[in-house]
Amino acid sequence: MSTSHVLVQGIPVPPGQAPGLRKEFSDWATQTPQTSIQVSLFIRALQKFYDIPYDLTLSYFQVSGTQHGHPSSVRPAHSAQQKIYQLMGDVINNNLKFNSDADKQAWINESTKWRLPYWDWALAANKSVVPALFIPASVEIRVPAAADGSQPAPESVPNPLYRYQLKVNGVPKKMGDLPKPYTVDSVTLDDGTVLPWAQCSGTSRWGIKSTKVQDWSDGVNNYEGIVDAINSHNWYGVESGNDLLKHPVSDLVYRLLSNVQTWANFSSTVTNPVSDQIPWEEWISLEYVHNNLHGFIGGDALSNGIGHMQNVPSAAFDPIFYMHHCNIDRLLAIWQILNWDCWFASDASPSSTEPLTPFHHRFDSGKVGYFNSDDSDESNKDYVTRIKVYVEKTYQNTGRVLLNDHNNLYKDITVKDHTYDDYLIDVLYDRYALEGDPYTIHFFLGAVPHSEITAGITNLFKHPRHVGSVYNFSSPMRAVAAGGAPRCANCAKQHDDGLLSMALVPLTIPLYNAAADTNVPDIQHLSPNVVEPYLVNQLSWVAVSTNGTVIPWNRLSRTKIFVLKGKAKHYRDDTRLSDYSDYERMSNVTHGKEAGASHDEY
């Protein structure tokens, strides 16, 4: 079967109107989605997308599969957004009955304003509850107005956001039962664990366990697992202030946007085996945040349930993938504005004046020309202050916790020049150490809960001493396409090149919570002379596989864990983002521990 290519065209913008704005998913869906024309069109169009036969190039099965390697024989360069928009037109013209031209035009107008929304899982305000529209198996949506102009009761329909389910002639079909080249294979990991994608007709989130296939084959969702993974880090039960219900994703996003200033560090986890040229505070990347969210949404261990989002080849079958990636694109756009004058470091990189084809505009002379990067740089400068204020107010962060100081740790301390002590963990790790098999490194203030891990009864993200994690999100090298090529070619190249990755886990807020809790001994404030010996005794880490077992560190022999102390300037002025710098080693915390960096490795 030959490779197919499809031209991608944007949603048309009516003359005299501005392009539609991409909105945050929960805001877009509103509290009453049954009144929204856009929600109604989206739900109906997405279901039509699902219903396109899997062997057609622009089926949901193929468009989603090619995002991360399925099916191997088709490569449609076509975005889900454009396909859904086209299907909205089909819904309006062929599936809905309108009683007036004006009402039909209103639905057409809403379709042209629609853009695929993003899910901002880092929002502090809603503690990253999964958007309500994803949760029910059926949903009530708006229908066209009645002949007298009144609005009829909404229509109840199956909710395509609940899951994607492959059907053939209207009957659920396991993806592994499709003929070649469309077959979706299960993946057997090195330890014998099976990621059973072939047995699934529907997508799951934290739902697939080592139980009977019929319990999860159609798709099962456990949203509590997602919420716990993203923001249930309430250390030691401290509840003196709302902002102490720690939101690790939010703080990661804030640090990423406020302090990483080079494209190489911002964009990728990849580093060189010798990484001493990268500032300690910049061991955080958009890819790292992206990778962790795939684990948070999909689930990272069969003992608690896994789902399609946790594995590279299967991730894009879950419709939540698209809202997740819209948010990744949005964070990139925010970083570009905040760093409007940043350019590639390599001399071999393109010039900022090269044309960005096919993005064109019309010059005053009437000739058509193309935008270049300098054009966007000039326009972005005007938004920098506004975006800084947005980031400061939107994302929960270390600075806000320390400035609010609900537990009065700083009431008798004079803070000079806005400067506070800051602590973090940096991790150098090999994503492909287990031939690309998935694993998670978990960090704790206190002993690793080995007995609970062995018993398989604990969601480690929910453990009261859990302070952060690193998920490798890679494609198992055994996951191959037709002809033997890896599903993820980029993963295979990084594996063959022996590249290492880097990650960062902030420690200051869990330390603040520990110091605020009178039941926690040996730490009363955040001075380095108190924090360092506390971490020597209390900071621990463990690597856990998808089957829920502890991975010996000799199997992850290139992993190195570093602990640093630095300075952070936090401001009450919303136009100034926190600044993190001057990090120094705390090698006593890691020296002599398995996977910990020795004194001379810092």
Side-chain angles (χ1 to χ4, degrees):
M1 187 173 179
S2 61
T3 299
S4 301
H5 297 276
V6 178
L7 178 65
V8 177
Q9 293 180 313
I11 296 176
V13 179
Q17 296 186 21
L21 294 177
R22 198 179 301 280
K23 298 179 180 180
E24 204 283 320
F25 190 93
S26 295
D27 292 340
W28 167 78
T30 74
Q31 298 301 312
T32 54
Q34 62 266 30
T35 67
S36 170
I37 291 176
Q38 285 193 10
V39 170
S40 179
L41 284 172
F42 175 66
I43 292 293
R44 297 173 193 276
L46 183 57
Q47 186 59 59
K48 287 180 75 72
F49 199 5
Y50 289 177
D51 293 342
I52 296 174
Y54 70 87
D55 56 351
L56 296 183
T57 301
L58 295 183
S59 64
Y60 181 88
F61 178 82
Q62 292 203 31
V63 170
S64 296
T66 55
Q67 298 290 333
H68 281 151
H70 285 295
S72 60
S73 58
V74 181
R75 292 291 186 269
H78 196 84
S79 80
Q81 174 176 276
Q82 270 61 45
K83 186 61 182 177
I84 291 171
Y85 166 74
Q86 292 172 5
L87 291 170
M88 285 180 175
D90 189 40
V91 167
I92 292 170
N93 291 318
N94 299 313
N95 297 112
L96 295 175
K97 180 182 178 181
F98 294 93
N99 291 292
S100 72
D101 291 341
D103 191 31
K104 182 176 183 179
Q105 188 59 50
W107 286 63
I108 293 173
N109 292 344
E110 286 299 311
S111 73
T112 59
K113 294 176 185 176
W114 174 83
R115 297 296 184 273
L116 191 63
Y118 62 90
W119 172 29
D120 189 355
W121 20 252
L123 282 176
N126 65 7
K127 301 187 180 72
S128 278
V129 174
V130 177
L133 197 56
F134 279 96
I135 296 175
S138 62
V139 62
E140 292 187 337
I141 55 176
R142 181 168 175 159
V143 298
D148 62 1
S150 63
Q151 186 60 48
E155 177 184 7
S156 180
V157 299
N159 182 10
L161 291 170
Y162 178 75
R163 67 182 173 198
Y164 163 64
Q165 186 168 44
L166 173 68
K167 293 184 178 181
V168 177
N169 298 322
V171 179
K173 181 94 169 175
K174 292 180 181 178
M175 297 184 186
D177 291 343
L178 293 177
K180 297 291 184 181
Y182 308 107
T183 311
V184 174
D185 299 316
S186 295
V187 177
T188 301
L189 306 182
D190 186 58
D191 60 10
T193 301
V194 176
L195 304 181
W197 313 127
Q199 298 296 318
C200 300
S201 65
T203 55
S204 291
R205 301 158 190 151
W206 285 75
I208 299 173
K209 299 185 178 182
S210 300
T211 56
K212 297 178 181 178
V213 173
Q214 58 265 33
D215 291 344
W216 43 258
S217 180
D218 288 341
V220 176
N221 297 320
N222 171 16
Y223 292 107
E224 181 181 353
I226 299 176
V227 175
D228 288 340
I230 294 178
N231 57 252
S232 283
H233 291 63
N234 187 15
W235 292 284
Y236 302 103
V238 177
E239 298 175 351
S240 301
N242 290 333
D243 57 7
L244 290 182
L245 205 64
K246 177 67 178 87
H247 194 310
V249 176
S250 186
D251 197 36
L252 285 176
V253 167
Y254 183 90
R255 288 177 182 248
L256 175 69
L257 295 176
S258 65
N259 230 56
V260 181
Q261 299 177 353
T262 66
W263 170 250
N265 295 344
F266 172 83
S267 61
S268 176
T269 63
V270 172
T271 183
N272 294 315
V274 179
S275 53
D276 57 1
Q277 301 302 311
I278 301 173
W280 294 111
E281 64 272 18
E282 293 197 27
W283 283 40
I284 180 173
S285 65
L286 184 62
E287 185 184 16
Y288 161 54
V289 175
H290 158 272
N291 292 351
N292 267 11
L293 262 296
H294 270 275
F296 293 168
I297 298 168
D300 73 336
L302 282 164
S303 55
N304 295 298
I306 62 170
H308 288 71
M309 277 285 284
Q310 69 96 238
N311 185 242
V312 173
S314 63
F317 287 121
D318 188 337
I320 209 169
F321 169 94
Y322 294 97
M323 277 55 82
H324 164 53
H325 271 261
C326 282
N327 197 42
I328 294 297
D329 292 345
R330 168 182 160 274
L331 293 175
L332 167 58
I334 291 174
W335 184 86
Q336 285 178 309
I337 292 175
L338 292 175
N339 299 273
W340 62 270
D341 56 348
C342 181
W343 195 247
F344 301 102
S346 171
D347 293 337
S349 299
S351 165
S352 62
T353 60
E354 289 189 21
L356 297 173
T357 55
F359 304 104
H360 61 272
H361 60 84
R362 189 172 297 278
F363 291 111
D364 293 338
S365 62
K367 295 182 179 180
V368 175
Y370 295 98
F371 287 105
N372 62 43
S373 296
D374 284 346
D375 293 328
S376 60
D377 285 348
E378 291 303 312
S379 62
N380 284 343
K381 285 193 296 184
D382 299 334
Y383 293 100
V384 171
T385 299
R386 196 170 84 186
I387 293 298
K388 284 183 177 179
V389 171
Y390 171 82
V391 170
E392 186 64 47
K393 290 185 174 181
T394 300
Y395 296 114
Q396 174 69 296
N397 60 82
T398 299
R400 189 184 304 176
V401 171
L402 300 187
L403 290 170
N404 289 341
D405 193 23
H406 285 300
N407 284 287
N408 298 316
L409 290 189
Y410 292 91
K411 69 176 183 177
D412 298 323
I413 298 175
T414 300
V415 176
K416 298 181 179 180
D417 194 27
H418 312 283
T419 303
Y420 295 77
D421 293 304
D422 190 67
Y423 303 93
L424 51 84
I425 303 167
D426 278 353
V427 186
L428 194 66
Y429 65 105
D430 184 355
R431 290 174 69 182
Y432 313 103
L434 307 178
E435 292 299 302
D437 290 358
Y439 67 89
T440 304
I441 302 173
H442 294 277
F443 294 91
F444 300 87
L445 285 181
V448 171
H450 282 287
S451 60
E452 296 172 46
I453 296 173
T454 301
I457 59 175
T458 299
N459 176 354
L460 292 181
F461 296 109
K462 199 175 181 178
H463 196 281
R465 297 192 300 273
H466 190 268
V467 299
S469 62
V470 177
Y471 180 56
N472 71 326
F473 190 59
S474 65
S475 178
M477 295 299 109
R478 301 166 194 80
V480 297
R487 292 287 185 192
C488 175
N490 186 50
C491 300
K493 186 177 187 306
Q494 292 183 13
H495 168 271
D496 293 344
D497 291 345
L499 297 178
L500 293 176
S501 292
M502 59 184 180
L504 181 153
V505 177
L507 272 178
T508 303
I509 295 180
L511 289 169
Y512 180 95
N513 289 343
D517 192 337
T518 56
N519 294 317
V520 178
D522 302 325
I523 181 170
Q524 296 78 39
H525 52 79
L526 299 189
S527 298
N529 64 318
V530 171
V531 168
E532 183 164 1
Y534 175 78
L535 290 177
V536 168
N537 294 321
Q538 296 298 327
L539 186 64
S540 63
W541 48 84
V542 65
V544 181
S545 68
T546 298
N547 71 2
T549 60
V550 173
I551 302 171
W553 286 111
N554 61 12
R555 298 193 63 205
L556 303 174
S557 59
R558 301 175 75 195
T559 301
K560 291 296 175 186
I561 294 167
F562 306 84
V563 176
L564 295 311
K565 61 182 178 182
K567 297 298 182 181
K569 290 191 174 184
H570 303 302
Y571 307 97
R572 297 189 184 277
D573 180 356
D574 289 339
T575 66
R576 303 183 70 180
L577 299 180
S578 296
D579 179 63
Y580 298 87
S581 61
D582 300 325
Y583 284 86
E584 301 174 358
R585 70 183 190 178
M586 298 178 74
S587 59
N588 289 332
V589 178
T590 58
H591 182 81
K593 297 181 181 179
E594 285 193 291
S598 64
H599 293 306
D600 57 4
E601 287 178 312
Y602 276 76

